C-alpha cells in the first residue's frame, strides 16, 4: 500500500461526480493520513471490516481521486533543503496550463496553486541554500516567457500541521 507512487489527480474537466463517503471510508482516510504505511490487515481490523472489503474500499478511494497517493513527510532542512520560499507570480492571461507544466519541472518545487488576488500563482520551493534559490528565481522562473513578475517570500520557520479530516468535514 505505501509504495510511494503518486496516483495523480483526475482531470477536473472529465471527472465523474464523487461518490459519497460513508463512516468506514472516513475512518480509513483518517487511519491512512496518520500512517500511510498501515497494512490492509491493520486498516481492516481497526474499521471492523474484512481485508477484502478494506482493500476494495481503498482501491475505490484511489480510483475516485479521494486518495491522491502515499508519501513521506520530509523535514526539508534535515534533508539538505535548508532554504524555503513562497514565490508569487503574475502570469500572462490564459497561460496557466503552460506555466504549470514548466513549474512542475523546477527542482525543489513542492506546491503550485492558481489563486485569485494580486497575483496569479503561488509556488512553494525548497532549495539547498539561498544562492540556489536566487538562481532558481532569476534564471529559471524569470526565463519563462509567460511569467510577468515574481515576488519571493523567504520562509524562516515552518510547522507541518499534518491536518487530518475531521468527521464533520466529509
Amino acid at each position: 500500500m505505501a509504495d510511494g507512487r503518486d496516483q495523480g489527480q483526475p482531470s477536473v474537466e472529465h471527472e465523474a461526480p464523487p461518490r459519497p463517503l460513508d463512516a468506514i471510508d472516513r475512518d480509513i482516510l483518517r487511519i491512512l493520513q496518520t500512517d500511510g504505511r498501515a497494512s490492509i490487515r491493520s486498516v481492516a481490523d481497526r474499521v471492523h471490516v474484512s481485508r477484502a472489503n478494506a482493500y476494495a474500499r481503498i482501491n475505490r478511494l484511489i480510483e475516485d481521486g479521494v486518495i491522491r497517493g502515499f508519501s513521506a513527510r520530509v523535514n526539508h532542512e534535515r534533508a539538505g533543503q535548508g532554504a524555503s520560499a513562497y514565490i508569487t507570480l503574475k502570469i500572462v492571461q490564459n497561460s496557466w496550463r503552460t506555466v504549470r507544466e514548466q513549474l512542475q519541472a523546477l527542482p525543489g518545487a513542492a506546491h503550485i496553486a492558481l489563486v485569485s488576488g494580486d497575483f496569479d500563482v503561488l509556488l512553494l520551493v525548497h532549495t539547498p541554500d539561498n544562492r540556489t534559490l536566487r538562481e532558481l528565481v532569476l534564471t529559471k522562473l524569470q526565463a519563462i516567457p509567460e511569467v510577468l513578475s515574481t515576488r519571493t517570500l523567504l520562509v524562516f520557520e515552518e510547522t507541518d500541521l499534518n491536518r487530518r479530516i475531521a468527521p464533520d468535514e466529509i
Side-chain angles (χ1 to χ4, degrees), residues 1 3 12 16 29 37-38 72 78 87 89 98-99 106 120 125 135 140 148 150-151 156:
M1 204 165 52
D3 59 8
V12 174
L29 288 174
R37 296 177 57 171
R78 292 188 59 91
I87 303 169
L89 296 90
T98 303
V99 171
L106 289 175
D120 304 305
V125 297
E135 288 301 311
K140 292 186 172 41
L148 302 173
T150 64
R151 184 173 183 194
F156 295 128

Side-chain angles (χ1 to χ4, degrees), residues 11 18 21 24 27 31 37 40 42 47-48 50 61 63 70 80 87 93 105-107 112 114 119 134 139-140 146 154:
S11 170
L21 302 180
I24 294 172
D27 287 344
I31 290 166
R37 296 177 57 171
I40 297 287
S42 168
V47 298
H48 309 292
S50 70
L61 292 167
E63 289 168 9
F70 299 89
I87 303 169
Q93 189 171 1
L106 289 175
I112 305 164
L114 179 66
F119 48 88
R134 182 178 147 265
T139 63
K140 292 186 172 41
E146 297 85 2
L154 291 177

